[in-house]
Every structure is written in C-alpha cells, then in structure tokens.
C-alpha cells in the first residue's frame, strides 16, 4: 500500500497560524521575486524569468558587465522601466502594516524593484539584501561613488537609441529576442562623475559579489538579540545564499515557526521538510499575506 503523504497539521491552517502570530513578539521575513509577481514583475525561475533568451543569472554578474556593459545595461534599463511601471501590491502593504504594528519585525528582501519602500515600509525594518535597481554606483571597486534614488528612464540617452521605436509608456523594445538590438558604443555609457574612469553600474549585488558587510552584521545582531518566534519565507525559491540561509539561522528548535508562503508550498518535498511547529500556505502571496497578517 503506497504510503500516503501525511499532510502536516499546519498546512494551510490559518487559525493555528493566527494563534502563533498573536503570541509572537519577534518576526523575521525573507522575501523573493514571488512577492512582486502580482505587481507584474517576472520572477527569475518562473516563465518570465528569461529576458531575450538570456537567463537572468547569466547577466547579473560582474563578468557579464565587464564583457558587455551595453547588453547588461539594456537588461537593467528594461528592469528599471518595468519596476517603475509596477505598483506595490497588497502583499507589500500587508508587510509594511505588520512592521508598523510590530517594532520587533524585520523584513529581509532579495527584491531590487523598490516596491517595499514604495509601500511605505519603515526603512529601519527593511534590509534590501541585494541592493536596488535605483541605486547607481561606480564599477571601479576602489572608488565608492554611489547615487541613490536615480529613476531616469531610460537610464541614459544612449539607451533611448535602443528604444527609438518604442511608443510612449511601452516597455523598452527589448522583450522580443528577434528584435535587433541597436548597436550602442560602450563610449556612450555614462562614466562615474567622481573618478571619471569607472563606468556607472546598477547598484545591485551581482552573483559572486559580497553583500554589504555592515548590513549582514546588523541582521545577525538582530537575530541573536532574542528568540525569533516566526520566520515568514515569502515567494522565494530559497536557492540564493546567504539570503536562503536566514530561516534556519533564526530558528530556535521546537519554538520558531518557519512559515512558507509560496505557489509551490504544497509539493511533497516541500511538505516533507515541515517541522511540527512550521506552517505552509500554498497560493499567491498577494492573496495570502493580507489574510494571514491583517
Ligand atoms: C555571496 C540582484 C560570497 C541582481 C541577485 C553559499 C554561501 C555564499 C554564497 C554562495 C553559496 N552558495 C552559492 C553561492 C554563490 C551565490 C549563490 O547563492 N548562487 C546560487 C545560484 C547557488 N551567492 C552569491 O553570489 C551572493 N554573494 O554570497 O558572496 C562572497 C564571499 C566572499 C567574496 C565574494 C563573494 C550574491 C547573491 C546575490 C545575487 N543577486 N539579485 C538582480 O536582481 O539582477 S539574486 C536574485 O535571484 C534575486 O535577488 C534573488 O535572490 C534570486 C531569485 O530568487 P527568488 O527571489 O527566490 O526568485 P525565484 O524566481 O528563484 O523564485 C520565485 C519563487 O516564488 C518560487 O519559489 C515560486 O514558486 C514563487 N512564486 C512565484 N509567484 C508567486 C510565488 N509565490 C507566491 N506568490 C506568487 N504569486
Ligand atoms: Zn568612480
């Protein structure tokens, strides 16, 4: 007789979750691209994760930028354009509301789309692990120049050339892989105004790059200060480290509930991993988070 999968008691158990939430003093959240899916932004691994037949993770590296800064800038100009058009969704707002209600709530987000700040999430309770599409910095490591809140769209005149046939308000014509990319000389990409030599680059953390060390120390100090009662793991495939390691890092055996909110939370391998005190909710974060947190 095939062993039937024993559905853990806390799978989709909203009442039990609300009990645990009411008794929780310290909550950590780790968010990924699935939280912004309802805002129309493609995830990395989902169908929308590809851009012009490139795997996003191939372009999100210093090597790719060194090799073809124009292609990488076209990728990021497209993502800036899409993120500027997107709006925070009810999931972002539910997290911001929880932060305002609970001083001991800290949100770690892997998303660079600026939707948490645009949902008025309190700054001091939000750590953008991988930076922001709207920070621009110098590619010269030794320079240190950085500019915040740069919302130019397209990012620079040269990229307008790539988008001359775009109708106003349409995505940059970079989606269709068949569409020829305008040849843009690297010399037309903006240089750092400080050292004058480095190229300006997106202020995000690429694969193989260190996350901000002070931020990592602050997060560890927050986790170590007192027991964490609950870790919300929202819309993330939990593949990328060190972001994917925080749920286990914050866990106090037998006490901390790790709460997965994910479209694929109900797959057998995900359900098998649940400890007794954990919760799993399968569905769209934009529907589940308001139900769970408000
Ligand atoms: C570093 C910014 C070290 C750029 C990104 C162990 C320890 C340390 C490092 C490593 C390690 N093992 C491997 C590494 C290296 C690497 C890594 O983790 N590689 C992976 C691929 C194995 N890590 C790094 O390089 C990190 N750097 O650790 O440096 C170091 C030490 C010394 C000296 C030098 C370096 C830096 C990683 C940061 C990379 N930058 N983003 C940009 O955005 O362009 S990563 C990027 O991809 C995102 O930020 C995010 O982190 C990741 C995508 O993951 P998700 O957000 O989870 O999205 P995904 O599409 O995968 O999943 C979506 C999920 O949502 C799915 O589960 C889906 O089911 C669900 N979903 C979809 N729709 C919905 C939904 N759920 C609910 N509702 C919906 N509607
Ligand atoms: Zn510079």
């Amino acid at each position: 007789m095939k062993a039937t999968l024993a559905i853990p008691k806390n799978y989709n158990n909203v009442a039990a979750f609300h009990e645990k939430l009411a008794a929780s003093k310290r909550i950590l959240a780790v968010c990924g691209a699935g939280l912004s899916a309802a805002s129309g932004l493609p995830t990395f691994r989902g169908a929308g994760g590809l851009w012009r037949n490139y795997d996003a993770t191939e372009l999100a590296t210093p090597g790719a930028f060194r090799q073809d800064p124009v292609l990488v800038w076209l990728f990021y100009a497209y993502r800036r354009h899409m993120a500027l058009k997107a709006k925070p969704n009810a999931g972002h707002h539910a997290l911001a509301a929880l932060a305002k209600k609970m001083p001991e709530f800290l949100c770690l987000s892997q998303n660079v789309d600026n939707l948490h700040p645009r949902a008025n999430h309190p700054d001091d309770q939000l750590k953008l692990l991988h930076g922001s599409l709207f920070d621009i910095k110098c590619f010269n490591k030794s320079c240190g120049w950085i500019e915040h809140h740069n919302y130019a769209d397209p990012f620079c005149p040269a990229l307008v050339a790539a988008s001359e046939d775009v109708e106003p308000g349409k995505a940059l014509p970079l989606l269709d892989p068949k569409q020829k990319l305008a040849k843009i000389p690297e010399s037309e990409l903006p240089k750092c105004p400080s050292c004058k030599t480095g190229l300006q680059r997106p202020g995000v953390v690429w694969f193989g790059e260190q996350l901000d060390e002070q931020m990592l120390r602050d997060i560890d100090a927050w986790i170590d200060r007192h027991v964490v009662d609950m870790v919300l793991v929202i819309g993330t495939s939990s593949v990328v480290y060190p972001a994917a390691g925080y749920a286990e890092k914050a866990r106090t055996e037998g006490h901390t509930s790790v709460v997965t909110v994910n479209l694929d939370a109900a797959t057998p391998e995900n359900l098998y991993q649940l400890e007794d005190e954990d919760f799993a909710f399968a569905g769209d974060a934009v529907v589940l988070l308001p139900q769970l947190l408000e």
Side-chain angles (χ1 to χ4, degrees):
M1 153 103 140
K2 195 164 133 342
T4 47
L5 173 70
I7 300 287
K9 64 180 170 39
N10 285 337
Y11 168 61
N12 273 358
N13 187 337
V14 178
F17 170 81
H18 279 151
E19 252 176 68
K20 174 74 184 184
L21 178 67
S24 295
K25 297 219 177 2
R26 303 187 78 239
I27 298 180
L28 185 69
V30 181
C31 304
L35 172 63
S36 296
S39 297
L41 297 180
T43 64
F44 283 74
R45 283 158 187 75
L50 287 180
W51 173 75
R52 292 181 67 84
N53 295 337
Y54 288 96
D55 172 340
T57 52
E58 277 167 35
L59 295 171
T61 71
F65 189 77
R66 204 168 290 114
Q67 197 188 339
D68 190 343
V70 170
L71 178 70
V72 173
W73 258 121
L74 285 168
F75 173 52
Y76 280 94
Y78 166 68
R79 292 204 25 224
R80 283 163 55 100
H81 181 80
M82 297 298 278
L84 284 169
K85 281 195 323 169
K87 291 199 177 27
N89 64 53
H92 297 102
H93 289 298
L95 288 165
L98 181 65
K100 290 171 188 155
K101 247 180 348 201
M102 278 191 84
E104 282 294 297
F105 168 67
L106 180 64
C107 180
L108 311 180
S109 188
Q110 300 169 85
N111 300 339
V112 294
D113 54 30
N114 199 38
L115 292 183
H116 291 285
R118 285 178 50 200
N120 299 316
H121 193 112
D123 249 4
D124 57 350
Q125 290 176 268
L126 175 66
K127 298 290 182 197
L128 298 179
L129 297 174
H130 298 156
S132 168
L133 288 169
F134 304 101
D135 288 347
I136 304 296
K137 59 189 190 184
C138 179
F139 190 50
N140 267 346
K141 273 213 173 29
S142 55
C143 171
W145 174 80
I146 184 164
E147 178 189 32
H148 299 288
H149 310 299
N150 173 308
Y151 302 110
D153 178 33
F155 169 65
C156 66
L159 297 179
V160 175
S163 58
E164 65 214 4
D165 55 352
V166 72
E167 288 118 58
K170 280 256 178 329
L172 288 171
L174 306 167
L175 253 181
D176 173 354
K178 290 184 292 308
Q179 212 155 350
K180 194 177 64 40
L181 276 183
K183 207 70 215 97
I184 303 169
E186 186 179 315
S187 56
E188 294 201 11
L189 290 177
K191 286 270 173 47
C192 166
S194 167
C195 71
K196 312 269 191 253
T197 54
L199 279 176
Q200 294 184 19
R201 57 161 282 185
V204 298
V205 179
W206 279 328
F207 287 98
E209 292 189 318
Q210 271 281 44
L211 281 70
D212 178 288
E213 298 195 348
Q214 185 54 50
M215 178 184 67
L216 297 180
R217 281 193 293 274
D218 293 347
I219 295 169
D220 286 350
W222 188 91
I223 289 174
D224 295 342
R225 204 166 34 245
H226 291 296
V227 166
V228 176
D229 300 300
M230 185 184 276
V231 183
L232 300 164
V233 181
I234 301 163
T236 179
S237 56
S238 295
V239 166
V240 173
Y241 284 83
Y246 281 116
E248 286 317 313
K249 198 174 211 181
R251 186 194 283 278
T252 300
E253 279 310 317
H255 175 81
T256 308
S257 294
V258 174
V259 184
T260 308
V261 174
N262 195 307
L263 285 182
D264 70 4
T267 54
E269 62 276 15
N270 289 341
L271 284 181
Y272 271 132
Q273 281 168 20
L274 281 189
E275 307 281 351
D276 274 353
E277 59 275 8
D278 292 346
F279 292 84
F281 295 95
D284 191 332
V286 74
V287 172
L288 286 169
L289 287 179
Q291 275 173 3
L292 292 173
L293 302 181
E294 277 158 11

